Amino acid sequence: MSLAGMIWGTTGPVVQLTVRHSALSPLTISAYRALSAAIVLDLLLWGTGRMRRSVASGRRHRGRLALVGVLIAASQLLFFVSVEWSGVSLSTVICMGFAPSLLLAVTSAGRRRLPSPGQVLTVSTALAGLLLISLVGGGREHAPHPALGILAALGAGAAFAFAADAGATVSKDLDALTITAAIMNVATLVLVPIDVVVAVSGRATMTADTGVWMLVAYLAVGVVATNALMFAGLRSTSSAAAVLATLIEPVTAVVIATAFLGEHLSPAGLLGCLLIVTAIASLGRFEEQAPHPEPAITPTPL
C-alpha cells in the first residue's frame, strides 16, 4: 500500500506538467488515462490466456466492481481538477487527509462504537502532518481557484475512501489484475463518452504533442500499478490501515513539487512530512487496537 502511495504521489506533479504544456483538460487527461490503462490490462489478460477466467469470476461481483469503477473515475477526475485549480500540494494533502478521516468515522458508525485511542492517535498524527504541509509548508503559489479546488479535493478523497471500502470484499475473492482491469474498463465507459461530448461541443481539445502523450502514458502506467498494488494490499490489511498507508503519497507529491515545480517547503512542512511517516510506521499498533477486525471490509487515484 505504501508503494502504491509513493507512485500516486507522482501523479499530481505529472498532471500539472501535462496541463501546463498542453490544452488538454483534466477530463480529457482522465479519459485518456483510463482508456490507455484499460487497453493495456485487457491485452495483458488476453495475452496470458486469463481473459475468459477473469470475466467469469468478475461476473459474481459485477455490481460492486461497477461501483468501484465509477468511484475511481470520479476520484481521478476530481483530483485532476483540484490539481489544476489549487496546486499539487494542497490538492494532495486535502484529498488524502480527508479519506482516512471519513473512513474511520464511517467504520466507527457502522460498529456503533468509538474508535480506539490508538486509532485516533494514529489518524490525528497523520492529519497534523497534513495540516502542517498544507497550511504552512505547502506551496500555493499556483492556485487560480483555491476554494473550488478544495471542494474538488474533498470529493476526490471521499470517492477514494468509498472505492477502497467497496473494493474490500472483491479483493478477497479476485486477483488484483482482474479487479484493476474491470474497474478501468468501467472508468473508461464513464469518462470517455463524457469527454467526447465535451470535445464535440467545442469546449475541449483532444490533441497534443509527443511529449504530452508520454506524460499521459506515464499516468496510465501509474494507475495500473497503483490499483494493482492497492487491491493486492487490501487482501491482508483493513481498509483504514490501507488508506493510511497511502498517506506516503502527499509526502512524495510535496517533495516532487518542491524539487521540480517551484513550490516551497518550509521547516514546518518538513515536520509535517515526518509526522506522516511516523503515523504510517505505527500502523501495526493501529491494527492491533482495532476492536473488531474486518477482514471483508476495507483507491485510490489517481
Side-chain angles (χ1 to χ4, degrees):
M1 294 301 302
S2 293
L3 181 57
M6 292 180 68
I7 299 174
W8 267 322
T10 66
T11 299
V14 173
V15 170
Q16 194 172 62
L17 286 173
T18 305
V19 171
R20 284 184 185 179
H21 297 288
S22 73
L24 298 180
S25 67
L27 173 60
T28 302
I29 297 171
S30 300
Y32 278 136
R33 184 195 196 197
L35 176 61
S36 301
I39 292 173
V40 169
L41 289 163
D42 288 344
L43 288 175
L44 183 59
L45 286 174
W46 179 78
T48 56
R50 299 174 56 184
M51 177 64 78
R52 182 175 298 180
R53 184 177 61 186
S54 293
V55 171
S57 59
R59 284 174 180 167
R60 300 194 302 270
H61 302 279
R62 56 183 177 273
R64 191 171 290 269
L65 287 172
L67 174 61
V68 175
V70 171
L71 289 171
I72 289 292
S75 177
Q76 174 180 291
L77 176 58
L78 289 171
F79 179 69
F80 287 6
V81 168
S82 180
V83 167
E84 182 180 9
W85 286 349
S86 59
V88 174
S89 299
L90 190 61
S91 299
T92 306
V93 163
I94 291 176
C95 174
M96 300 307 297
F98 184 56
S101 304
L102 177 63
L103 198 53
L104 184 61
V106 170
T107 301
S108 298
R111 293 171 174 168
R112 297 184 179 180
R113 66 175 66 200
L114 295 174
S116 70
Q119 292 176 318
V120 173
L121 179 61
T122 300
V123 173
S124 298
T125 301
L127 292 181
L130 290 167
L131 287 173
L132 282 173
I133 293 174
S134 63
L135 299 180
V136 182
R140 288 171 287 172
E141 296 88 347
H142 312 292
H145 307 290
L148 293 176
I150 289 172
L151 289 176
L154 289 172
F160 170 67
F162 289 124
D165 187 60
T169 301
V170 293
S171 68
K172 311 301 178 183
D173 297 333
L174 303 178
D175 63 275
L177 179 59
T178 297
I179 299 172
T180 306
I183 64 174
M184 283 297 101
N185 278 284
V186 172
T188 298
L189 292 175
V190 172
L191 293 170
V192 170
I194 297 175
D195 186 50
V196 170
V197 171
V198 173
V200 169
S201 68
R203 297 180 182 180
T205 180
M206 301 181 72
T207 59
D209 59 32
T210 303
V212 171
W213 290 125
M214 291 179 65
L215 293 175
V216 173
Y218 173 81
L219 290 172
V221 172
V223 76
V224 171
T226 52
N227 279 282
L229 287 168
M230 181 180 76
F231 288 108
L234 288 174
R235 297 176 65 89
S236 58
T237 188
S238 70
S239 58
V243 171
L244 276 171
T246 61
L247 286 181
I248 197 68
E249 175 186 355
V251 177
T252 305
V254 168
V255 170
I256 293 175
T258 302
F260 301 105
L261 300 180
E263 298 196 7
H264 175 65
L265 181 65
S266 70
L270 178 60
L271 175 60
C273 292
L274 293 175
L275 286 175
I276 293 173
V277 173
T278 300
I280 294 173
S282 68
L283 286 181
R285 185 181 179 191
F286 182 98
E287 294 276 34
E288 290 170 3
Q289 294 197 3
H292 292 291
E294 295 177 310
I297 300 178
T298 181
T300 19
L302 212 3

